[in-house]
Amino acid sequence: SLLRRREIYRIFKPKHGGYARGTPVASQAPTFNCQDAGIEEPLDAKDIEVYGDVGTAVENTAMGLTEDVLRARDAILAAVLFSTTTFPAGFNQAATAVVGTGSSKIVSDSSDCIEKVRLGCGMSANTALMSGGMFAKMRKDPDVQAKYRAIAGYTDKQGGIRLQLSLTDLAAVLGVEKIIVAGGIKDTTDEGQTRTKSSVWADTFILFFYCPPLTSRWGAFLGRIFAYN
């Protein structure tokens, strides 16, 4: 994490005194913009008859509505986190070339992104998030394939074989601990019209960020969401 200059000297105990106290973490009411999210669906006698009893009908309906809320939240987060206007200009890294082409330098581009996160917040990015479409292109990318062959110790005679990289393999290539593949699909057309489907998370971005191993009120979180009743 970021270390302030005065903290370097505060950690040392005076010869005839106690240790310095940590700076309290200030909590302010306007720090977070909270909104209620939910959806309702009435149940009639026919619905209850299908499930057999009221309890089962309510439970199954609640599960379906919860899925609707989560999918809507996923789309809201995707629109914010996959936007170049959300983060300061220094955190937006343009790719050297399109992923999946012979001129791609996605491995070095990824290293640059991880370093930008470290310089910006003091912690190296340990997680990468991408769409299902981007993951499919990354697995086949020549730069990624070459890097994995070097890591795995493949010989030159095996160089022409296209490898089917797993999430763990790709994480090792990019230098992160975990890769999240967001495979959701959305339909933006009205009912009765020709369907126009696309990825919820755009196929043109990869998001590198730090994900702490444990929940902490002092930890740095990206897109942190509070769920409460």
Side-chain angles (χ1 to χ4, degrees), residues 39-48 51 54 57-58 61-62 65:
I39 188 172
E40 297 180 350
E41 182 174 323
L43 291 174
D44 56 25
K46 291 183 178 180
D47 295 319
I48 297 174
Y51 290 104
V54 176
V58 171
T61 302
L65 296 179

Side-chain angles (χ1 to χ4, degrees), residues 16-38:
H16 301 290
Y19 291 105
R21 290 191 175 186
T23 304
V25 179
S27 298
Q28 301 177 4
T31 300
F32 299 98
N33 180 19
C34 298
Q35 293 179 304
D36 290 331

Side-chain angles (χ1 to χ4, degrees), residues 189-207:
T189 54
D190 295 328
E191 187 175 355
Q193 297 182 347
T194 303
R195 293 185 179 276
T196 304
K197 293 179 287 185
S198 60
S199 296
V200 174
W201 296 82
D203 295 332
T204 53
F205 289 90
I206 301 176
L207 179 67

Side-chain angles (χ1 to χ4, degrees), residues 16-190:
H16 301 290
Y19 291 105
R21 290 191 175 186
T23 304
V25 179
S27 298
Q28 301 177 4
T31 300
F32 299 98
N33 180 19
C34 298
Q35 293 179 304
D36 290 331
I39 188 172
E40 297 180 350
E41 182 174 323
L43 291 174
D44 56 25
K46 291 183 178 180
D47 295 319
I48 297 174
E49 184 179 354
V50 170
Y51 290 104
D53 60 83
V54 176
T56 304
V58 171
E59 181 180 359
N60 281 271
T61 302
M63 290 174 59
L65 296 179
T66 300
E67 183 69 19
D68 289 342
V69 172
L70 292 177
R71 288 184 180 275
R73 186 184 69 178
D74 198 43
I76 293 172
L77 288 174
V80 174
L81 296 179
F82 270 21
S83 172
T84 56
T85 60
T86 298
F87 304 99
F91 283 89
N92 296 319
Q93 172 74 26
T96 303
V98 178
V99 173
T101 63
S103 56
S104 167
K105 299 296 181 184
I106 189 60
V107 175
S108 60
D109 289 342
S110 299
S111 297
D112 292 341
C113 289
I114 293 173
E115 179 64 6
K116 284 189 175 184
V117 174
R118 187 187 69 84
L119 293 176
C121 69
M123 292 163 289
S124 296
N126 61 2
T127 307
L129 186 151
M130 64 188 72
S131 69
M134 176 59 77
F135 175 60
K137 290 188 289 186
M138 288 286 286
R139 297 174 72 190
K140 301 175 183 177
D141 184 85
D143 192 38
V144 171
Q145 290 270 326
K147 178 65 175 180
Y148 181 74
R149 286 192 179 90
I151 294 175
Y154 278 75
T155 64
D156 292 339
K157 294 181 179 179
Q158 297 167 308
I161 303 174
R162 175 175 289 178
L163 306 173
Q164 294 298 318
L165 273 61
S166 65
L167 286 174
T168 303
D169 298 333
L170 186 56
V173 170
L174 300 184
V176 294
E177 298 174 8
K178 182 180 180 181
I179 290 180
I180 300 173
V181 177
I185 301 295
K186 62 182 178 181
D187 182 5
T188 58
T189 54
D190 295 328

